[in-house]
Each structure stands twice: as C-alpha cells, then as structure tokens.
Amino acid sequence: MSNTVETAARTAPAAVIVAIDGPSGTGKSSTSKAVAAKLGLSYLDTGAQYRAITWWMLTNGIDVTDPVAIADAAGKPVIVSGTDPSAPTITVDGIDASGPIRTQEVTSKVSAVSAVPEVRTLITELQRSIAKGAALGIVVEGRDIGTTVLPDANLKIFLTASPEARAARRSGELKGADVSATREALLKRDAADSSRKTSPLAKADDAVEVDTSDLTLDQVIECVVTLVEGKRAAK
C-alpha cells in the first residue's frame, strides 16, 4: 500500500507557482486562464481584485481622487476570488462583481485606487494567501506579481507587445472602440502603473520575457505551457 502511495506521489506533477506580469492588451488573462486549465492549476486575476475594490469605492461614494479617503475605506469590503480557470469568479460583500468591475468608469479609476499603499498592502496579503492555499499550484497574473507579490514564484513570465498590437486586441474586445483612442488610453495606464511609488508595473530580473506582438494566442499559450512543464520537470 505504502509503495503505491509513494509511486503516486512521485508521478504527480510538482506544484508550481507561476507569475505572469505585463501591461494591458498583451494577452495576459487569456493566456493565464488557458495555461492553468491545461495544466490543472488554480488561476488568479489580481487585476480583478483591484477593479473590485475600485468598484466598491465608487458604489459607496468614496472620493477616489482622495488617497486618504481611499486608505480609510480600504479594509471595509470583503473580496472573494474563485480560482477555477474555466469559470473564475469574484464577489464583493457576497455580491457577484464580475460584470460591474469591467465598466469604463472602473477602468478609468482603477490606477488611482490601486496606487494607494494601504490598498496594495491589503490586496497583496489576500493574493499571497490564495497562492499559498493552492495545493496543486497556481497561475497568478497581474502587474507586480513577480516583483512584489510572489517574488519567490517558481516561474516568472513577463508578456509584452507593441502598443499597436495591444490597442488592436483591446479594441477588438471592446466592440467598436477607436484603435487610436484605445492606444492612448493603454499608454496612459502604462505610465500610471509604471510610475507609481508602491509596487510599480515592472519586469522581475529573473522573468522570462515573451513578446506576443506577432504571435497567436495559441502560440503564446504553447510557449508558456512549455516553460511551466520545464520548471515542473526540474523540481
């Protein structure tokens, strides 16, 4: 009996924590979900958590231009993230927030809210606890995962793409959106995320950079799956 258990333990894939960072429009979410689903890992969209707290602030009349007001309210909402890559969920105080957090109003305010140190501290602790609780491993996507949230992740990947490719993709997601306006909005978001004092968008020194500009989504997924499998085999 014990030999059977030992054999199963040896043949089971090693649990891996995968950090996937990068700016908007690089294919981060689609890639992360697909990789997690293919490899039987949990999945966490950290950006959704920042969107969720931003949505809660807007819904509850918090002045999102006032960092002090944001900091004072940061600990009030209860954010719960489901980690099934085929059907990720997010609730705020028990309310399904998956739709409301994707509005343009939330998108335009999330950088300001997520730049407040008290918000980042709370959400980072939440993200670490979720990653720690993923028994089989997890793919965590965001902007500061490899550098700040999970600096000891087994594998760190930084997705990039040209502004033109990113704008074209994002415009395709937002049916009828103006590509040039979308490009400007993405660059503005990049500047805000990269220049904030607390946990800026940055590539970790030991991250593998993957430029997705000229790759199909399937090619990006295949590339990342290969990297993860290589890391698993080395464990």
Side-chain angles (χ1 to χ4, degrees), residues 160-209:
T160 64
S162 68
E164 291 71 26
R166 291 167 56 205
R169 285 176 190 152
R170 188 47 58 92
S171 297
E173 292 168 12
L174 307 170
K175 305 300 181 198
D178 180 276
V179 177
S180 61
T182 302
R183 181 180 182 277
E184 291 308 309
L186 287 172
L187 292 175
K188 187 177 178 182
R189 176 85 191 269
D190 287 354
D193 290 346
S194 302
S195 62
R196 65 173 177 245
K197 292 181 180 177
T198 307
S199 305
L201 163 66
K203 177 189 167 189
D205 292 338
D206 53 347
V208 178
E209 184 169 322

mmCIF file of all heavy atoms in Angstrom, residues 160-209:
data_model
loop_
_atom_site.group_PDB
_atom_site.id
_atom_site.type_symbol
_atom_site.label_atom_id
_atom_site.label_comp_id
_atom_site.label_asym_id
_atom_site.label_seq_id
_atom_site.Cartn_x
_atom_site.Cartn_y
_atom_site.Cartn_z
ATOM 1 N N THR A 160 4.905 41.030 -23.193
ATOM 2 C CA THR A 160 4.949 42.370 -23.787
ATOM 3 C C THR A 160 4.317 42.299 -25.172
ATOM 4 O O THR A 160 4.089 41.221 -25.721
ATOM 5 C CB THR A 160 6.398 42.888 -23.942
ATOM 6 O OG1 THR A 160 7.105 42.039 -24.858
ATOM 7 C CG2 THR A 160 7.115 42.911 -22.610
ATOM 8 N N ALA A 161 4.042 43.450 -25.735
ATOM 9 C CA ALA A 161 3.561 43.555 -27.120
ATOM 10 C C ALA A 161 3.660 45.020 -27.500
ATOM 11 O O ALA A 161 3.675 45.902 -26.635
ATOM 12 C CB ALA A 161 2.123 43.051 -27.257
ATOM 13 N N SER A 162 3.719 45.289 -28.791
ATOM 14 C CA SER A 162 3.782 46.680 -29.248
ATOM 15 C C SER A 162 2.474 47.387 -28.892
ATOM 16 O O SER A 162 1.422 46.746 -28.796
ATOM 17 C CB SER A 162 3.983 46.720 -30.767
ATOM 18 O OG SER A 162 2.810 46.238 -31.419
ATOM 19 N N PRO A 163 2.527 48.709 -28.688
ATOM 20 C CA PRO A 163 1.298 49.454 -28.392
ATOM 21 C C PRO A 163 0.226 49.249 -29.460
ATOM 22 O O PRO A 163 -0.960 49.177 -29.150
ATOM 23 C CB PRO A 163 1.775 50.911 -28.355
ATOM 24 C CG PRO A 163 3.217 50.830 -27.988
ATOM 25 C CD PRO A 163 3.717 49.579 -28.647
ATOM 26 N N GLU A 164 0.662 49.129 -30.731
ATOM 27 C CA GLU A 164 -0.288 48.949 -31.829
ATOM 28 C C GLU A 164 -1.012 47.601 -31.715
ATOM 29 O O GLU A 164 -2.234 47.518 -31.882
ATOM 30 C CB GLU A 164 0.442 49.036 -33.178
ATOM 31 C CG GLU A 164 0.972 50.416 -33.522
ATOM 32 C CD GLU A 164 2.172 50.841 -32.673
ATOM 33 O OE1 GLU A 164 2.903 49.965 -32.178
ATOM 34 O OE2 GLU A 164 2.363 52.066 -32.508
ATOM 35 N N ALA A 165 -0.262 46.556 -31.420
ATOM 36 C CA ALA A 165 -0.862 45.220 -31.295
ATOM 37 C C ALA A 165 -1.804 45.172 -30.099
ATOM 38 O O ALA A 165 -2.905 44.599 -30.170
ATOM 39 C CB ALA A 165 0.242 44.165 -31.131
ATOM 40 N N ARG A 166 -1.387 45.802 -29.023
ATOM 41 C CA ARG A 166 -2.216 45.811 -27.812
ATOM 42 C C ARG A 166 -3.520 46.580 -28.041
ATOM 43 O O ARG A 166 -4.593 46.140 -27.624
ATOM 44 C CB ARG A 166 -1.429 46.426 -26.655
ATOM 45 C CG ARG A 166 -0.264 45.561 -26.178
ATOM 46 C CD ARG A 166 0.663 46.336 -25.279
ATOM 47 N NE ARG A 166 -0.070 46.901 -24.159
ATOM 48 C CZ ARG A 166 0.317 47.988 -23.486
ATOM 49 N NH1 ARG A 166 1.426 48.625 -23.837
ATOM 50 N NH2 ARG A 166 -0.393 48.436 -22.483
ATOM 51 N N ALA A 167 -3.403 47.728 -28.709
ATOM 52 C CA ALA A 167 -4.602 48.543 -28.969
ATOM 53 C C ALA A 167 -5.566 47.812 -29.890
ATOM 54 O O ALA A 167 -6.786 47.852 -29.694
ATOM 55 C CB ALA A 167 -4.196 49.880 -29.580
ATOM 56 N N ALA A 168 -5.028 47.113 -30.887
ATOM 57 C CA ALA A 168 -5.874 46.374 -31.826
ATOM 58 C C ALA A 168 -6.635 45.269 -31.091
ATOM 59 O O ALA A 168 -7.827 45.058 -31.318
ATOM 60 C CB ALA A 168 -5.024 45.777 -32.943
ATOM 61 N N ARG A 169 -5.932 44.573 -30.196
ATOM 62 C CA ARG A 169 -6.580 43.497 -29.424
ATOM 63 C C ARG A 169 -7.655 44.052 -28.506
ATOM 64 O O ARG A 169 -8.762 43.531 -28.423
ATOM 65 C CB ARG A 169 -5.534 42.757 -28.577
ATOM 66 C CG ARG A 169 -4.652 41.834 -29.370
ATOM 67 C CD ARG A 169 -3.598 41.227 -28.474
ATOM 68 N NE ARG A 169 -2.599 40.527 -29.264
ATOM 69 C CZ ARG A 169 -1.339 40.358 -28.877
ATOM 70 N NH1 ARG A 169 -0.932 40.852 -27.731
ATOM 71 N NH2 ARG A 169 -0.494 39.703 -29.633
ATOM 72 N N ARG A 170 -7.323 45.106 -27.787
ATOM 73 C CA ARG A 170 -8.259 45.661 -26.824
ATOM 74 C C ARG A 170 -9.472 46.265 -27.534
ATOM 75 O O ARG A 170 -10.590 46.174 -27.052
ATOM 76 C CB ARG A 170 -7.542 46.708 -25.937
ATOM 77 C CG ARG A 170 -8.330 47.230 -24.759
ATOM 78 C CD ARG A 170 -8.991 46.151 -23.952
ATOM 79 N NE ARG A 170 -8.111 45.148 -23.393
ATOM 80 C CZ ARG A 170 -7.576 45.229 -22.177
ATOM 81 N NH1 ARG A 170 -7.809 46.263 -21.415
ATOM 82 N NH2 ARG A 170 -6.829 44.241 -21.721
ATOM 83 N N SER A 171 -9.242 46.865 -28.699
ATOM 84 C CA SER A 171 -10.359 47.420 -29.480
ATOM 85 C C SER A 171 -11.274 46.306 -29.967
ATOM 86 O O SER A 171 -12.487 46.479 -30.060
ATOM 87 C CB SER A 171 -9.841 48.215 -30.678
ATOM 88 O OG SER A 171 -9.084 49.321 -30.240
ATOM 89 N N GLY A 172 -10.671 45.155 -30.280
ATOM 90 C CA GLY A 172 -11.456 44.001 -30.706
ATOM 91 C C GLY A 172 -12.337 43.498 -29.568
ATOM 92 O O GLY A 172 -13.468 43.061 -29.781
ATOM 93 N N GLU A 173 -11.806 43.575 -28.329
ATOM 94 C CA GLU A 173 -12.581 43.157 -27.153
ATOM 95 C C GLU A 173 -13.699 44.157 -26.880
ATOM 96 O O GLU A 173 -14.806 43.783 -26.494
ATOM 97 C CB GLU A 173 -11.657 43.066 -25.928
ATOM 98 C CG GLU A 173 -10.631 41.944 -26.013
ATOM 99 C CD GLU A 173 -9.569 42.078 -24.930
ATOM 100 O OE1 GLU A 173 -9.745 42.873 -24.007
ATOM 101 O OE2 GLU A 173 -8.553 41.354 -25.020
ATOM 102 N N LEU A 174 -13.385 45.430 -27.053
ATOM 103 C CA LEU A 174 -14.378 46.482 -26.827
ATOM 104 C C LEU A 174 -14.973 46.839 -28.179
ATOM 105 O O LEU A 174 -14.490 47.728 -28.865
ATOM 106 C CB LEU A 174 -13.717 47.709 -26.186
ATOM 107 C CG LEU A 174 -12.895 47.450 -24.917
ATOM 108 C CD1 LEU A 174 -12.089 48.690 -24.532
ATOM 109 C CD2 LEU A 174 -13.800 47.050 -23.767
ATOM 110 N N LYS A 175 -15.961 46.112 -28.586
ATOM 111 C CA LYS A 175 -16.524 46.244 -29.934
ATOM 112 C C LYS A 175 -16.789 47.712 -30.307
ATOM 113 O O LYS A 175 -17.414 48.452 -29.557
ATOM 114 C CB LYS A 175 -17.841 45.469 -30.036
ATOM 115 C CG LYS A 175 -17.744 43.992 -29.651
ATOM 116 C CD LYS A 175 -16.768 43.238 -30.533
ATOM 117 C CE LYS A 175 -16.710 41.771 -30.152
ATOM 118 N NZ LYS A 175 -15.532 41.083 -30.645
ATOM 119 N N GLY A 176 -16.241 48.107 -31.452
ATOM 120 C CA GLY A 176 -16.492 49.450 -31.951
ATOM 121 C C GLY A 176 -15.594 50.524 -31.367
ATOM 122 O O GLY A 176 -15.746 51.700 -31.665
ATOM 123 N N ALA A 177 -14.624 50.110 -30.525
ATOM 124 C CA ALA A 177 -13.732 51.100 -29.903
ATOM 125 C C ALA A 177 -12.766 51.669 -30.943
ATOM 126 O O ALA A 177 -12.387 50.998 -31.896
ATOM 127 C CB ALA A 177 -12.958 50.461 -28.761
ATOM 128 N N ASP A 178 -12.390 52.898 -30.747
ATOM 129 C CA ASP A 178 -11.447 53.579 -31.634
ATOM 130 C C ASP A 178 -10.029 53.109 -31.294
ATOM 131 O O ASP A 178 -9.590 53.223 -30.157
ATOM 132 C CB ASP A 178 -11.574 55.094 -31.439
ATOM 133 C CG ASP A 178 -10.619 55.855 -32.330
ATOM 134 O OD1 ASP A 178 -9.444 56.015 -31.926
ATOM 135 O OD2 ASP A 178 -11.033 56.293 -33.403
ATOM 136 N N VAL A 179 -9.310 52.572 -32.280
ATOM 137 C CA VAL A 179 -7.992 51.991 -32.022
ATOM 138 C C VAL A 179 -7.001 53.026 -31.491
ATOM 139 O O VAL A 179 -6.275 52.776 -30.526
ATOM 140 C CB VAL A 179 -7.417 51.314 -33.293
ATOM 141 C CG1 VAL A 179 -6.011 50.791 -33.030
ATOM 142 C CG2 VAL A 179 -8.314 50.169 -33.735
ATOM 143 N N SER A 180 -6.971 54.208 -32.104
ATOM 144 C CA SER A 180 -6.004 55.219 -31.663
ATOM 145 C C SER A 180 -6.324 55.718 -30.257
ATOM 146 O O SER A 180 -5.424 55.935 -29.437
ATOM 147 C CB SER A 180 -5.960 56.393 -32.652
ATOM 148 O OG SER A 180 -7.226 57.020 -32.733
ATOM 149 N N ALA A 181 -7.611 55.876 -29.967
ATOM 150 C CA ALA A 181 -8.010 56.308 -28.616
ATOM 151 C C ALA A 181 -7.674 55.221 -27.602
ATOM 152 O O ALA A 181 -7.216 55.500 -26.484
ATOM 153 C CB ALA A 181 -9.507 56.616 -28.580
ATOM 154 N N THR A 182 -7.875 53.965 -28.003
ATOM 155 C CA THR A 182 -7.553 52.838 -27.124
ATOM 156 C C THR A 182 -6.054 52.786 -26.858
ATOM 157 O O THR A 182 -5.615 52.542 -25.732
ATOM 158 C CB THR A 182 -8.014 51.506 -27.763
ATOM 159 O OG1 THR A 182 -9.415 51.571 -28.008
ATOM 160 C CG2 THR A 182 -7.720 50.337 -26.854
ATOM 161 N N ARG A 183 -5.262 53.048 -27.922
ATOM 162 C CA ARG A 183 -3.798 53.057 -27.773
ATOM 163 C C ARG A 183 -3.372 54.117 -26.772
ATOM 164 O O ARG A 183 -2.529 53.865 -25.897
ATOM 165 C CB ARG A 183 -3.149 53.318 -29.140
ATOM 166 C CG ARG A 183 -1.628 53.325 -29.123
ATOM 167 C CD ARG A 183 -1.082 53.604 -30.529
ATOM 168 N NE ARG A 183 0.365 53.567 -30.570
ATOM 169 C CZ ARG A 183 1.156 54.587 -30.227
ATOM 170 N NH1 ARG A 183 0.621 55.739 -29.821
ATOM 171 N NH2 ARG A 183 2.468 54.467 -30.300
ATOM 172 N N GLU A 184 -3.937 55.307 -26.882
ATOM 173 C CA GLU A 184 -3.592 56.392 -25.955
ATOM 174 C C GLU A 184 -3.978 56.039 -24.516
ATOM 175 O O GLU A 184 -3.236 56.311 -23.573
ATOM 176 C CB GLU A 184 -4.292 57.701 -26.381
ATOM 177 C CG GLU A 184 -3.758 58.302 -27.667
ATOM 178 C CD GLU A 184 -2.248 58.464 -27.653
ATOM 179 O OE1 GLU A 184 -1.717 59.044 -26.675
ATOM 180 O OE2 GLU A 184 -1.597 57.987 -28.601
ATOM 181 N N ALA A 185 -5.143 55.405 -24.351
ATOM 182 C CA ALA A 185 -5.598 55.010 -23.017
ATOM 183 C C ALA A 185 -4.668 53.960 -22.413
ATOM 184 O O ALA A 185 -4.339 54.014 -21.212
ATOM 185 C CB ALA A 185 -7.024 54.472 -23.093
ATOM 186 N N LEU A 186 -4.212 53.021 -23.249
ATOM 187 C CA LEU A 186 -3.292 51.986 -22.766
ATOM 188 C C LEU A 186 -1.959 52.586 -22.338
ATOM 189 O O LEU A 186 -1.403 52.227 -21.295
ATOM 190 C CB LEU A 186 -3.052 50.939 -23.866
ATOM 191 C CG LEU A 186 -4.196 49.970 -24.159
ATOM 192 C CD1 LEU A 186 -3.869 49.142 -25.396
ATOM 193 C CD2 LEU A 186 -4.464 49.060 -22.973
ATOM 194 N N LEU A 187 -1.444 53.506 -23.145
ATOM 195 C CA LEU A 187 -0.161 54.140 -22.819
ATOM 196 C C LEU A 187 -0.269 54.987 -21.546
ATOM 197 O O LEU A 187 0.664 55.034 -20.739
ATOM 198 C CB LEU A 187 0.321 54.996 -24.001
ATOM 199 C CG LEU A 187 0.721 54.202 -25.256
ATOM 200 C CD1 LEU A 187 1.070 55.150 -26.406
ATOM 201 C CD2 LEU A 187 1.903 53.283 -24.949
ATOM 202 N N LYS A 188 -1.422 55.619 -21.375
ATOM 203 C CA LYS A 188 -1.660 56.411 -20.165
ATOM 204 C C LYS A 188 -1.682 55.503 -18.937
ATOM 205 O O LYS A 188 -1.102 55.812 -17.891
ATOM 206 C CB LYS A 188 -2.983 57.173 -20.295
ATOM 207 C CG LYS A 188 -3.254 58.153 -19.162
ATOM 208 C CD LYS A 188 -4.553 58.917 -19.410
ATOM 209 C CE LYS A 188 -4.850 59.874 -18.260
ATOM 210 N NZ LYS A 188 -6.138 60.574 -18.468
ATOM 211 N N ARG A 189 -2.342 54.351 -19.078
ATOM 212 C CA ARG A 189 -2.402 53.378 -17.985
ATOM 213 C C ARG A 189 -1.005 52.836 -17.693
ATOM 214 O O ARG A 189 -0.611 52.679 -16.544
ATOM 215 C CB ARG A 189 -3.354 52.235 -18.370
ATOM 216 C CG ARG A 189 -3.439 51.089 -17.373
ATOM 217 C CD ARG A 189 -4.430 51.365 -16.274
ATOM 218 N NE ARG A 189 -4.329 50.397 -15.199
ATOM 219 C CZ ARG A 189 -5.015 49.271 -15.118
ATOM 220 N NH1 ARG A 189 -5.865 48.950 -16.067
ATOM 221 N NH2 ARG A 189 -4.877 48.475 -14.084
ATOM 222 N N ASP A 190 -0.225 52.551 -18.730
ATOM 223 C CA ASP A 190 1.148 52.076 -18.553
ATOM 224 C C ASP A 190 1.957 53.067 -17.722
ATOM 225 O O ASP A 190 2.684 52.690 -16.801
ATOM 226 C CB ASP A 190 1.858 51.931 -19.907
ATOM 227 C CG ASP A 190 1.361 50.741 -20.706
ATOM 228 O OD1 ASP A 190 0.548 49.964 -20.178
ATOM 229 O OD2 ASP A 190 1.797 50.606 -21.866
ATOM 230 N N ALA A 191 1.836 54.343 -18.101
ATOM 231 C CA ALA A 191 2.602 55.389 -17.422
ATOM 232 C C ALA A 191 2.220 55.467 -15.947
ATOM 233 O O ALA A 191 3.085 55.572 -15.066
ATOM 234 C CB ALA A 191 2.367 56.732 -18.099
ATOM 235 N N ALA A 192 0.917 55.390 -15.665
ATOM 236 C CA ALA A 192 0.443 55.449 -14.278
ATOM 237 C C ALA A 192 0.932 54.240 -13.483
ATOM 238 O O ALA A 192 1.412 54.375 -12.349
ATOM 239 C CB ALA A 192 -1.086 55.517 -14.245
ATOM 240 N N ASP A 193 0.829 53.058 -14.079
ATOM 241 C CA ASP A 193 1.199 51.835 -13.373
ATOM 242 C C ASP A 193 2.711 51.708 -13.185
ATOM 243 O O ASP A 193 3.179 51.160 -12.192
ATOM 244 C CB ASP A 193 0.683 50.604 -14.123
ATOM 245 C CG ASP A 193 -0.833 50.476 -14.046
ATOM 246 O OD1 ASP A 193 -1.443 51.174 -13.210
ATOM 247 O OD2 ASP A 193 -1.401 49.699 -14.822
ATOM 248 N N SER A 194 3.472 52.196 -14.161
ATOM 249 C CA SER A 194 4.929 52.062 -14.100
ATOM 250 C C SER A 194 5.583 53.097 -13.186
ATOM 251 O O SER A 194 6.687 52.886 -12.692
ATOM 252 C CB SER A 194 5.536 52.185 -15.502
ATOM 253 O OG SER A 194 4.998 51.210 -16.360
ATOM 254 N N SER A 195 4.891 54.231 -12.990
ATOM 255 C CA SER A 195 5.498 55.316 -12.218
ATOM 256 C C SER A 195 5.020 55.401 -10.771
ATOM 257 O O SER A 195 5.534 56.201 -9.997
ATOM 258 C CB SER A 195 5.235 56.661 -12.916
ATOM 259 O OG SER A 195 3.838 56.913 -12.978
ATOM 260 N N ARG A 196 4.020 54.574 -10.397
ATOM 261 C CA ARG A 196 3.545 54.659 -9.006
ATOM 262 C C ARG A 196 4.659 54.217 -8.066
ATOM 263 O O ARG A 196 5.492 53.364 -8.399
ATOM 264 C CB ARG A 196 2.283 53.812 -8.805
ATOM 265 C CG ARG A 196 2.463 52.340 -8.982
ATOM 266 C CD ARG A 196 1.211 51.558 -8.595
ATOM 267 N NE ARG A 196 1.420 50.143 -8.863
ATOM 268 C CZ ARG A 196 0.757 49.430 -9.739
ATOM 269 N NH1 ARG A 196 -0.215 49.981 -10.443
ATOM 270 N NH2 ARG A 196 1.027 48.151 -9.926
ATOM 271 N N LYS A 197 4.666 54.798 -6.871
ATOM 272 C CA LYS A 197 5.733 54.531 -5.903
ATOM 273 C C LYS A 197 5.640 53.130 -5.316
ATOM 274 O O LYS A 197 6.651 52.494 -5.019
ATOM 275 C CB LYS A 197 5.704 55.576 -4.780
ATOM 276 C CG LYS A 197 6.098 56.968 -5.243
ATOM 277 C CD LYS A 197 6.079 57.957 -4.094
ATOM 278 C CE LYS A 197 6.471 59.354 -4.570
ATOM 279 N NZ LYS A 197 6.402 60.356 -3.491
ATOM 280 N N THR A 198 4.415 52.652 -5.097
ATOM 281 C CA THR A 198 4.227 51.346 -4.468
ATOM 282 C C THR A 198 3.986 50.269 -5.519
ATOM 283 O O THR A 198 3.045 50.360 -6.290
ATOM 284 C CB THR A 198 3.020 51.385 -3.501
ATOM 285 O OG1 THR A 198 3.194 52.472 -2.596
ATOM 286 C CG2 THR A 198 2.913 50.088 -2.718
ATOM 287 N N SER A 199 4.880 49.281 -5.548
ATOM 288 C CA SER A 199 4.748 48.125 -6.443
ATOM 289 C C SER A 199 4.426 48.498 -7.884
ATOM 290 O O SER A 199 3.378 48.129 -8.417
ATOM 291 C CB SER A 199 3.658 47.184 -5.915
ATOM 292 O OG SER A 199 3.913 46.801 -4.604
ATOM 293 N N PRO A 200 5.314 49.230 -8.562
ATOM 294 C CA PRO A 200 5.023 49.602 -9.945
ATOM 295 C C PRO A 200 5.049 48.403 -10.887
ATOM 296 O O PRO A 200 5.612 47.351 -10.561
ATOM 297 C CB PRO A 200 6.167 50.567 -10.283
ATOM 298 C CG PRO A 200 7.292 50.136 -9.386
ATOM 299 C CD PRO A 200 6.629 49.697 -8.113
ATOM 300 N N LEU A 201 4.419 48.582 -12.058
ATOM 301 C CA LEU A 201 4.500 47.585 -13.122
ATOM 302 C C LEU A 201 5.962 47.490 -13.536
ATOM 303 O O LEU A 201 6.571 48.480 -13.942
ATOM 304 C CB LEU A 201 3.654 48.028 -14.320
ATOM 305 C CG LEU A 201 3.903 47.338 -15.674
ATOM 306 C CD1 LEU A 201 3.507 45.871 -15.599
ATOM 307 C CD2 LEU A 201 3.132 48.037 -16.777
ATOM 308 N N ALA A 202 6.547 46.305 -13.406
ATOM 309 C CA ALA A 202 7.957 46.138 -13.751
ATOM 310 C C ALA A 202 8.252 44.678 -14.029
ATOM 311 O O ALA A 202 7.571 43.782 -13.519
ATOM 312 C CB ALA A 202 8.852 46.635 -12.606
ATOM 313 N N LYS A 203 9.262 44.448 -14.836
ATOM 314 C CA LYS A 203 9.692 43.080 -15.138
ATOM 315 C C LYS A 203 10.695 42.643 -14.083
ATOM 316 O O LYS A 203 11.676 43.346 -13.814
ATOM 317 C CB LYS A 203 10.325 43.048 -16.527
ATOM 318 C CG LYS A 203 10.887 41.676 -16.916
ATOM 319 C CD LYS A 203 11.683 41.790 -18.208
ATOM 320 C CE LYS A 203 12.504 40.525 -18.421
ATOM 321 N NZ LYS A 203 13.454 40.677 -19.531
ATOM 322 N N ALA A 204 10.468 41.490 -13.464
ATOM 323 C CA ALA A 204 11.412 40.947 -12.490
ATOM 324 C C ALA A 204 12.708 40.577 -13.200
ATOM 325 O O ALA A 204 12.709 40.190 -14.374
ATOM 326 C CB ALA A 204 10.816 39.714 -11.816
ATOM 327 N N ASP A 205 13.827 40.710 -12.489
ATOM 328 C CA ASP A 205 15.133 40.424 -13.092
ATOM 329 C C ASP A 205 15.228 38.997 -13.625
ATOM 330 O O ASP A 205 15.919 38.738 -14.615
ATOM 331 C CB ASP A 205 16.245 40.645 -12.052
ATOM 332 C CG ASP A 205 16.390 42.120 -11.698
ATOM 333 O OD1 ASP A 205 15.964 42.968 -12.502
ATOM 334 O OD2 ASP A 205 16.922 42.421 -10.608
ATOM 335 N N ASP A 206 14.534 38.068 -12.956
ATOM 336 C CA ASP A 206 14.630 36.661 -13.361
ATOM 337 C C ASP A 206 13.410 36.191 -14.160
ATOM 338 O O ASP A 206 13.162 34.997 -14.286
ATOM 339 C CB ASP A 206 14.829 35.759 -12.139
ATOM 340 C CG ASP A 206 13.775 35.972 -11.064
ATOM 341 O OD1 ASP A 206 13.038 36.975 -11.140
ATOM 342 O OD2 ASP A 206 13.697 35.139 -10.142
ATOM 343 N N ALA A 207 12.663 37.144 -14.720
ATOM 344 C CA ALA A 207 11.481 36.784 -15.518
ATOM 345 C C ALA A 207 11.870 36.455 -16.957
ATOM 346 O O ALA A 207 12.825 37.006 -17.499
ATOM 347 C CB ALA A 207 10.468 37.924 -15.507
ATOM 348 N N VAL A 208 11.100 35.566 -17.562
ATOM 349 C CA VAL A 208 11.257 35.245 -18.982
ATOM 350 C C VAL A 208 10.338 36.185 -19.754
ATOM 351 O O VAL A 208 9.134 36.205 -19.519
ATOM 352 C CB VAL A 208 10.847 33.781 -19.278
ATOM 353 C CG1 VAL A 208 10.974 33.485 -20.769
ATOM 354 C CG2 VAL A 208 11.681 32.814 -18.451
ATOM 355 N N GLU A 209 10.907 36.983 -20.660
ATOM 356 C CA GLU A 209 10.080 37.924 -21.428
ATOM 357 C C GLU A 209 9.578 37.260 -22.706
ATOM 358 O O GLU A 209 10.349 36.629 -23.430
ATOM 359 C CB GLU A 209 10.879 39.178 -21.768
ATOM 360 C CG GLU A 209 10.049 40.232 -22.482
ATOM 361 C CD GLU A 209 10.762 41.583 -22.596
ATOM 362 O OE1 GLU A 209 11.451 41.982 -21.646
ATOM 363 O OE2 GLU A 209 10.609 42.216 -23.654
#
